[in-house]
Amino acid sequence: MQITHLNIQRVRNLKTVALQELQPFNVFYGVNGSGKTSILEAIHLLATGRSFRTHIPKHYIQQHAQDAIVFAQSVSDKIGMQKLISGEQIIKLNGDHIATQGQLARLLPLQMIDPLSTDIIDHGAKPRRQLLDWLMFHVEPDFYQTWQFYSRALKQRNSLLKNQRNLSLQDLEPWNEILSRYGEMLHLQRLSIVEQWQQYLAQDLAYLLPNVEIKLDYQAGFHTELGLLHDLTQHHQKDLDRRYTEYGPHRADLRLRTPIGDADVVLSRGQKKLLIIALKLSQIAMLHGCNKETVVLLDDLTAELDLTAQQRLIGRLSQLGSQVFITTLDHEAVQTHLHDLSISYQLFNVENGEVRLVTQ
C-alpha cells in the first residue's frame, strides 16, 4: 500500500495535517522541535498501533485532548486509527471496523530506519528478535498463528509458575506439551527464514559495507538437539525457583557474527549504523521479492550518514519500490540526491506544528 493522502489530528504539537498527492519520496524539513518526527510517529501509530517514542498515549496525544486520529488513503484502500488516551483504539479499513492491528500491519508493512540508533546490535536479544519476527510476520504465512498459540500457552505456564507453589511436573505437563509443539514449529519457521534472509543480506552488505562479512547466527532459545520438551522437563525446578519459563523461542537470539568476533564488539559505531541499515534493507528486499512493498520512515537522514551513504540508501530504497518519508535538517542535500537519482518527491516545510507543501 502506497499512501496518497494522509491526515493527522491531535498528535503532539502538530496542527491538523492534510497531505495530498504524496509521492514515492516525501521530505519534511524544519528546525528541531518543529514537528517533523511527529509526522513519522503518526504513520507508525497507524501501521503498528504504537509510537516508536513512548508506550504511553497521553505523551503523544495533545494536551487536553482525549484522542488522536490518523487516516491514510491509497488508490484502493482507506485506513484509519483513533487512539484514545486510555490506550484503547478504534481501527477501520474501508469504513469497516476491524478487530486487530495485525490486519493493518499486513496491509501497510512499515520499516523504521534511524541512522542514530545502534540498539539492534548493542542492546541485547530482544530488539534482534523483534527484527526477525517483523520479517516472519510478513513473509511466513503460518508464523502469526503459531506465535499466538505459543504465546498463550507461555502466558498460562508463567502464570502458574508465578502464582502457585510446589507445582509438580504433572501439573505442568499439558502446558509443556503445547509449548513444545508450537515452540518447535516456530523454531523451524524462523530457521528457514533466516537462511533466506542471509542471501539478501549479503547483497546489501556488498553495497553498503563491502569489506565486512556478517553471518546471521540464529539461536533457538533451547537445546534443539534434545528438543524443547526435554528442556522444560529437565529444568522444571529451575523454572519453579525463578517463577518463569527459561527455555523456548521467546528467549531466542539472532547473533551477528564476523570472522573475528561478534559485530557489537568488533565493528565501529559507523559500521554498526550501516549494518543496521543493511539488515533492514535486506528485509525490505525480501518483501519486495514476495511482491510486498514497504513504507519506510527515515528519521534525520543527514544526521550521521555521509553523502555517499545517504545517496546509496535513497537509491536502494527507490530500487525496492518503497515509499519513503524522510525528515532532515538539510533538505538541500536530500533534494540533490533525489534529483541526481531522478526520483519523484514532495517537499514539505514543518514550522511550529504546521506542515506546508513547498512548490519546486
Side-chain angles (χ1 to χ4, degrees), residues 87-236:
E88 296 177 276
Q89 59 190 30
I90 299 170
I91 315 168
K92 288 188 177 182
L93 171 59
N94 295 324
D96 296 325
H97 289 273
I98 58 176
T100 66
Q101 187 70 44
Q103 290 172 268
L104 285 194
R106 288 195 187 280
L107 186 64
L108 189 65
L110 186 80
Q111 190 65 274
M112 177 87 186
I113 299 179
D114 177 5
L116 295 171
S117 174
T118 59
D119 287 0
I120 291 170
I121 298 174
D122 292 332
H123 285 189
K126 185 177 179 179
R128 292 188 291 273
R129 192 165 55 243
Q130 290 174 333
L131 185 70
L132 171 59
D133 285 347
W134 180 89
L135 182 62
M136 298 291 301
F137 177 81
H138 287 292
V139 301
E140 171 50 64
D142 296 328
F143 168 76
Y144 187 55
Q145 186 177 48
T146 306
W147 177 252
Q148 283 184 312
F149 284 131
Y150 178 84
S151 297
R152 289 168 187 160
L154 178 65
K155 183 177 180 180
Q156 291 293 333
R157 190 178 192 272
N158 282 342
S159 179
L160 288 171
L161 290 169
K162 182 178 180 180
N163 296 312
Q164 295 188 32
R165 295 291 188 179
N166 303 317
L167 286 167
S168 69
L169 194 57
Q170 187 175 6
D171 291 331
L172 289 177
E173 183 178 3
W175 302 113
N176 289 348
E177 290 181 356
I178 295 172
L179 212 60
S180 62
R181 183 189 319 141
Y182 289 107
E184 297 278 0
M185 291 170 61
L186 279 175
H187 166 64
L188 293 176
Q189 290 171 0
R190 281 176 169 168
L191 197 61
S192 174
I193 294 302
V194 168
E195 290 174 358
Q196 297 174 53
W197 185 11
Q198 180 70 65
Q199 299 173 30
Y200 285 93
L201 177 60
Q203 297 175 22
D204 280 298
L205 283 173
Y207 189 58
L208 290 174
L209 279 170
N211 298 319
V212 176
E213 179 185 346
I214 298 289
K215 294 295 182 184
L216 300 175
D217 179 14
Y218 170 65
Q219 299 176 349
F222 62 95
H223 298 94
T224 55
E225 66 279 6
L226 299 172
L228 179 53
L229 185 59
H230 175 273
D231 282 350
L232 294 173
T233 54
Q234 286 295 111
H235 298 279
H236 173 73

Side-chain angles (χ1 to χ4, degrees), residues 53-67:
R53 292 159 129 181
T54 176
H55 65 281
I56 302 173
K58 71 177 182 180
H59 288 172
Y60 57 77
I61 295 174
Q62 283 180 4
Q63 192 174 12
H64 307 307
Q66 296 302 308
D67 67 352

Side-chain angles (χ1 to χ4, degrees), residues 1-2 4 71-79 93-94 107:
M1 175 179 176
Q2 289 222 342
T4 58
F71 170 84
Q73 184 175 338
S74 71
V75 172
S76 57
D77 292 296
K78 298 177 181 179
I79 59 176
L93 171 59
N94 295 324
L107 186 64

